[in-house]
Amino acid sequence: MKIEEDIRKAVEVMRQGGIILYPTDTIWGIGCDATNAEAVAKVYQIKKRDDSKALICLVDSDARLQKYVLKVPNVAWDVMEFATKPTTVVLDNAVNLAPNLIAEDGSIAMRITRETFSHELCYRFQKPIVSTSANISGEEAPQNYKDISEEIINAVDYVCWSRRNEHKPHQASSIIKIAEDGEVKIIRS
């Protein structure tokens, strides 16, 4: 299957409120429309994860990020620009997202993806996409498609074909919380 067709099918499923399994700029992720509370609830259910634990969202650009956070501190732009590996930033004052995706303190974890497949997927979808590791909460995150459990594969509505045969080390992103006042706290390096 061509990448364009794979992305088209994944976008179609998410627009209908479905859940996808897809390769990202880090590890394989479970994804959905980050503005659809019902879809977000399904992701928590699939992962058997407490919904008080935040999920990460992927976007394709600076402009898209700014539609979902009231004010992005200047230091956040610097962190994202100079990061040497995929870096998720946790920012205050999330807006226009599913309420069950926003943390109790009003923050959201966002990452601008530059990897070909996930970037194009976000661009074509035109909204943030949830990106949480493709595993049951508490279990080891799969690095490649072959490491994903049948339980997870069977629980989603669409499994992307792209990069399924890849077998190389991947790791989760760094996570850095950047408060509205610019205070920086490293959550995961």
Side-chain angles (χ1 to χ4, degrees):
M1 175 181 290
K2 290 186 175 178
I3 287 177
E4 297 80 17
E5 178 67 10
D6 203 12
I7 287 171
R8 189 190 65 70
K9 286 187 176 185
V11 165
E12 188 177 296
V13 167
M14 288 189 293
R15 285 195 177 130
Q16 294 170 359
I19 311 302
I20 65 168
L21 190 58
Y22 68 112
T24 75
D25 54 340
T26 58
I27 58 181
W28 273 72
I30 299 171
C32 71
D33 177 349
T35 67
N36 181 329
E38 208 172 283
V40 170
K42 286 184 207 170
V43 171
Y44 279 113
Q45 188 178 16
I46 290 168
K47 283 189 65 79
K48 300 179 182 171
R49 183 174 176 144
D50 183 348
D51 65 8
S52 68
K53 295 186 177 189
L55 300 174
I56 292 170
C57 294
L58 294 185
V59 291
D60 64 318
S61 66
D62 296 357
R64 186 107 42 227
L65 174 75
Q66 290 177 311
K67 291 180 181 179
Y68 298 95
V69 176
L70 282 180
K71 183 180 184 300
V72 180
N74 287 335
V75 69
W77 297 120
D78 292 340
V79 165
M80 291 183 283
E81 182 179 345
F82 297 111
T84 56
K85 67 180 249 188
T87 300
T88 300
V89 290
V90 179
L91 301 167
D92 294 331
N93 302 310
V95 293
N96 305 320
L97 293 164
N100 54 343
L101 191 58
I102 299 171
E104 283 183 22
D105 66 0
S107 67
I108 188 67
M110 302 281 275
R111 184 167 73 250
I112 299 171
T113 180
R114 290 171 174 71
E115 177 271 331
T116 306
F117 185 85
S118 56
H119 180 271
E120 188 66 16
L121 181 65
C122 289
Y123 175 75
R124 296 283 174 212
F125 191 57
Q126 296 286 298
K127 292 191 243 180
I129 298 172
V130 166
S131 180
T132 182
S133 57
N135 61 300
I136 302 296
S137 198
E139 293 181 2
E140 191 172 332
Q143 291 191 27
N144 294 286
Y145 177 77
K146 69 176 180 56
D147 305 319
I148 301 170
S149 74
E150 286 295 317
E151 182 178 1
I152 294 291
I153 292 169
N154 293 331
V156 302
D157 301 301
Y158 181 72
V159 180
C160 291
W161 287 93
S162 300
R163 292 180 41 206
R164 280 196 194 183
N165 295 324
E166 191 173 84
H167 300 288
K168 63 182 189 178
H170 292 280
Q171 61 185 41
S173 68
S174 297
I175 301 177
I176 300 174
K177 180 161 178 49
I178 302 172
E180 195 174 2
D181 64 6
E183 180 188 339
V184 175
K185 179 181 175 186
I186 296 173
I187 295 174
R188 180 173 72 200
S189 58

